């Protein structure tokens, strides 16, 4: 809340975050679980949201302009109406609650069978966010999905996490190949990673190709 001078007095002005919090709070506690799920995992199938709130609650959220419902063939997907709603909600979700929501949504997606082309990518990201680890098959498939979309920022964490998976005989080769393909970096040794990477052991010495200088973003922050 900010103070702003007025005619002969000072009055308070709510910040955008406070205004959003007020809108979300007005939706009532019955909608909180559904809103948190959307903040962490959107877009979400309507059938999954039905497990978190009655249909009349979801209808009231749509009427209030907090969520959007999109019909895609036989599927109905639900998202928050504005990205800022998600930012405000995520900031308020406790860590263990966030972990529970992400893992439960992963279970729902596995139980109904993967129907979207990016389901593996989404589940891998949910697992990584929740626990810092993910199923190796999901990581590989999710990374491949991201690479096909040229989404290197999304692919790199999945590839490097997959490379570090214990007991994988091809881990070193995938690490070296992943950085070469995504960043234009060729590592001299399978255990060598680009600067800033957190590989166990090895020294950080790499050879940069010209393509690494053309990336519009820095892969190491």
């Amino acid at each position: 809340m900010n103070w702003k001078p007025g005619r002969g007095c000072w009055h308070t002005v709510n910040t955008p975050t406070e205004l959003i919090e007020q809108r979300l709070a007005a939706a009532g506690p019955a909608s909180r679980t559904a809103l948190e799920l959307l903040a962490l995992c959107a877009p979400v199938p309507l059938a999954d949201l039905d497990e978190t709130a009655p249909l009349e609650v979801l209808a009231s959220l749509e009427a209030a302009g907090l969520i959007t419902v999109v019909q895609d063939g036989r599927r109905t997907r639900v998202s928050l109406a504005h990205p800022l709603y998600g930012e405000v909600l995520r900031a308020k979700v406790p860590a263990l609650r966030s972990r529970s929501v992400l893992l439960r949504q992963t279970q729902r997606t596995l139980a109904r069978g993967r129907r979207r082309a990016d389901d593996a990518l989404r589940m891998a990201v949910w697992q990584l966010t929740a626990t810092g680890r993910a199923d190796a098959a999901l990581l590989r498939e999710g990374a491949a999905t991201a690479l096909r979309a040229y989404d290197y920022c999304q692919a790199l964490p999945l590839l490097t996490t997959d490379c570090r998976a214990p007991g994988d005989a091809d881990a070193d080769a995938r690490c070296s190949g992943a950085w070469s393909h995504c960043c234009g970096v060729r590592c001299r040794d399978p255990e060598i990673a680009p600067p800033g990477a957190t590989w166990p052991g090895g020294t950080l010495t790499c050879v940069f190709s010209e393509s690494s200088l053309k990336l519009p973003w820095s892969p190491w922050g």
Side-chain angles (χ1 to χ4, degrees):
M1 183 177 294
N2 297 324
W3 289 89
K4 183 177 180 181
R7 295 182 178 180
C9 65
W10 288 75
H11 61 274
T12 59
V13 178
N14 289 328
T15 65
T17 297
E18 290 170 335
L19 292 172
I20 291 172
E21 288 176 344
Q22 291 173 6
R23 288 203 67 188
L24 295 171
S31 65
R32 197 69 182 186
T33 301
L35 290 172
E36 289 176 348
L37 175 58
L38 289 170
L40 293 167
C41 302
V44 173
L46 179 59
D48 291 352
L49 277 182
D50 284 341
E51 296 183 22
T52 66
L55 186 58
E56 55 268 22
V57 171
L58 299 178
S60 67
L61 291 175
E62 184 183 23
L66 294 175
I67 66 174
T68 57
V69 181
V70 177
Q71 191 72 35
D72 182 12
R74 293 181 296 175
R75 304 186 185 111
T76 305
R77 294 179 295 166
V78 186
S79 301
L80 292 170
H82 196 283
L84 285 177
Y85 295 161
E87 291 184 19
V88 172
L89 284 162
R90 285 190 293 273
K92 296 290 186 180
V93 180
L96 292 180
R97 171 65 180 161
S98 174
R99 176 186 174 117
S100 175
V101 171
L102 290 166
L103 294 180
R104 178 70 185 108
Q105 186 58 21
T106 302
Q107 293 171 355
R108 290 191 188 100
T109 305
L110 287 171
R112 72 165 182 266
R114 287 184 276 170
R115 301 172 184 174
R116 291 166 48 97
D118 62 349
D119 273 347
L121 171 59
R122 284 156 54 82
M123 286 190 290
V125 170
W126 296 337
Q127 289 182 349
L128 279 178
T129 304
T131 67
R133 307 174 74 177
D135 177 80
L138 285 178
L139 286 167
R140 286 191 290 270
E141 189 174 344
T145 300
L147 288 173
R148 283 195 295 270
Y150 302 101
D151 189 349
Y152 299 131
C153 290
Q154 186 82 284
L156 275 171
L158 304 185
L159 286 164
T160 54
T161 301
D162 184 24
C163 290
R164 299 175 201 168
D168 191 337
D170 298 325
D172 290 341
R174 284 203 304 276
C175 281
S176 181
W179 287 105
S180 177
H181 185 78
C182 296
C183 302
V185 176
R186 291 184 292 109
C187 296
R188 295 183 184 274
D189 185 88
E191 293 185 356
I192 294 173
T198 55
W199 256 262
T203 56
L204 302 181
T205 306
C206 289
V207 177
F208 290 80
S209 70
E210 292 183 3
S211 62
S212 67
L213 304 177
K214 300 176 182 177
L215 289 172
W217 51 274
S218 169
W220 308 297

